[in-house]
Amino acid sequence: MTNLEALVTNIELCSSVTLPTLKKLSINGKPFRSHTQGSLDVFFPCFPDVLTIWRAVSKYVRKQLLKEEPRAVKITGLGTFYVKKAHSFDNGEMITFQKPMFSLSWAVAHAHELQRASVPVPGEIMKVSVSYKKTDLGVPYSETVVQRCVQETLDYFYFILKKKEDLDFVLKDVGILAIRGTEVTMTFCEDLLLYLNKSGETVEKILTKKWVISDKEVSLFPSRFGRVHQLPQFEMRVVPRRVSLPDEKTSSDVRKGLSIMGKRGNV
């Protein structure tokens, strides 16, 4: 597990970015018992506060998307999630399904020269922003601490984008925002699709036809570095290295990943 305090300190030393709340949370986070080795309990340092907050934010987003009348929910500084009714043809048959969508913040895309399709939220959909209140998120932190934790995580996100490095932003039980170079792909978890569509057969067709990209595919998305930053875990993850398509030595997994990246998903 990443030493978040050391990571934050290093960032602050080499940039103008300051992350005081993340540092405080990482210091206050209690160790957790990872596993038992013989008669010895092995402990590893962690930062449960940060993950707890982001999981609560993700849960809030998911709850809004799964309402009887789904709402568009905005994470300020990241983007907006919503659901729309979609239609597509398969073997002459029209398929109607509920499609989760994500619109990356225009300011973020513009500042970091990311490819962002202009997908406005339909006017008839009710729009809300994530609430950071204790009563809405169910976390043992003040609204101020939660808001600052989210903002500082996003500040780190911008820092990585400024360095032109690749990353995956994980929203538990919602999906993963994957950024490779200037390519932006929002993937969604199959469980969310199942709750939206009430049919495993429909979900299978949606994923097979790539009408929505599954978050399970993210492990195949190649990076020119062969690694990506993963937030809010603040870890590095190894991924296939991006290579030129004509290269006959390219593995089938990497080729599949590149094919998926060609379909940038719902952005």
Side-chain angles (χ1 to χ4, degrees):
M1 183 66 73
T2 302
N3 184 329
L4 183 56
E5 181 188 355
L7 178 63
V8 168
T9 299
N10 184 59
I11 291 172
E12 291 178 333
L13 289 173
C14 66
S15 73
S16 59
V17 177
T18 58
L19 310 168
T21 303
L22 289 183
K23 186 185 292 185
K24 182 178 180 180
L25 289 173
S26 70
I27 293 172
N28 292 341
K30 296 180 180 179
F32 71 101
R33 181 172 296 175
S34 177
H35 64 277
T36 301
Q37 193 173 61
S39 60
L40 298 176
D41 291 324
V42 181
F43 291 85
F44 293 95
C46 67
F47 42 100
D49 304 307
V50 178
L51 293 179
T52 296
I53 287 170
W54 272 101
R55 284 170 180 168
V57 170
S58 300
K59 184 177 180 180
Y60 185 90
V61 171
R62 180 183 170 97
K63 182 178 179 180
Q64 301 305 313
L65 298 180
L66 293 180
K67 284 182 176 292
E68 187 173 346
E69 293 187 8
R71 298 177 179 179
V73 54
K74 178 181 180 181
I75 300 179
T76 302
L78 183 65
T80 302
F81 293 87
Y82 62 100
V83 175
K84 76 168 187 177
K85 182 176 288 188
H87 308 278
S88 192
F89 283 91
D90 179 45
N91 295 325
E93 177 187 3
M94 187 174 74
I95 308 297
T96 300
F97 58 97
Q98 297 294 319
K99 183 176 183 179
M101 303 285 291
F102 174 71
S103 180
L104 180 68
S105 162
W106 179 88
V108 173
H110 179 73
H112 301 286
E113 300 178 331
L114 300 175
Q115 296 183 21
R116 173 191 181 276
S118 179
V119 187
V121 179
E124 68 273 13
I125 298 179
M126 180 181 292
K127 303 171 184 63
V128 298
S129 293
V130 170
S131 170
Y132 298 117
K133 295 179 181 178
K134 278 186 179 183
T135 52
D136 291 330
L137 293 187
V139 292
Y141 314 100
S142 70
E143 182 175 350
T144 299
V145 167
V146 172
Q147 196 162 7
R148 287 177 179 172
C149 174
V150 169
Q151 184 56 58
E152 289 178 21
T153 303
L154 291 175
D155 288 342
Y156 181 82
F157 169 69
Y158 308 146
F159 175 75
I160 297 303
L161 293 180
K162 187 176 181 180
K163 292 172 63 181
K164 305 296 183 183
E165 296 190 11
D166 296 336
L167 61 84
D168 292 335
F169 205 118
V170 181
L171 292 167
K172 183 175 171 57
D173 297 327
V174 176
I176 300 175
L177 173 64
I179 297 179
R180 304 290 186 270
T182 62
E183 297 273 0
V184 179
T185 306
M186 186 65 221
T187 67
F188 291 95
C189 66
E190 295 178 23
D191 179 67
L192 176 65
L193 291 172
L194 185 58
Y195 271 89
L196 285 171
N197 292 283
K198 315 298 183 185
S199 167
E201 183 179 350
T202 299
V203 171
E204 183 178 358
K205 186 162 293 187
I206 290 171
L207 296 174
T208 299
K209 296 296 183 180
K210 304 299 182 186
W211 296 331
V212 175
I213 305 298
S214 167
D215 60 346
K216 293 179 181 178
E217 303 282 7
V218 173
S219 63
L220 301 177
F221 288 8
S223 165
R224 61 193 186 281
F225 306 107
R227 69 186 188 282
V228 297
H229 295 267
Q230 184 167 282
L231 294 176
Q233 291 80 3
F234 292 88
E235 295 179 337
M236 294 297 294
R237 187 170 66 82
V238 175
V239 298
R241 184 179 291 275
R242 173 170 283 182
V243 294
S244 60
L245 283 172
D247 189 347
E248 293 300 321
K249 295 182 181 179
T250 302
S251 71
S252 60
D253 281 352
V254 172
R255 285 199 297 270
K256 184 178 179 182
L258 287 169
S259 175
I260 293 169
M261 285 302 296
K263 302 174 182 294
R264 295 206 311 280
N266 306 316
V267 296

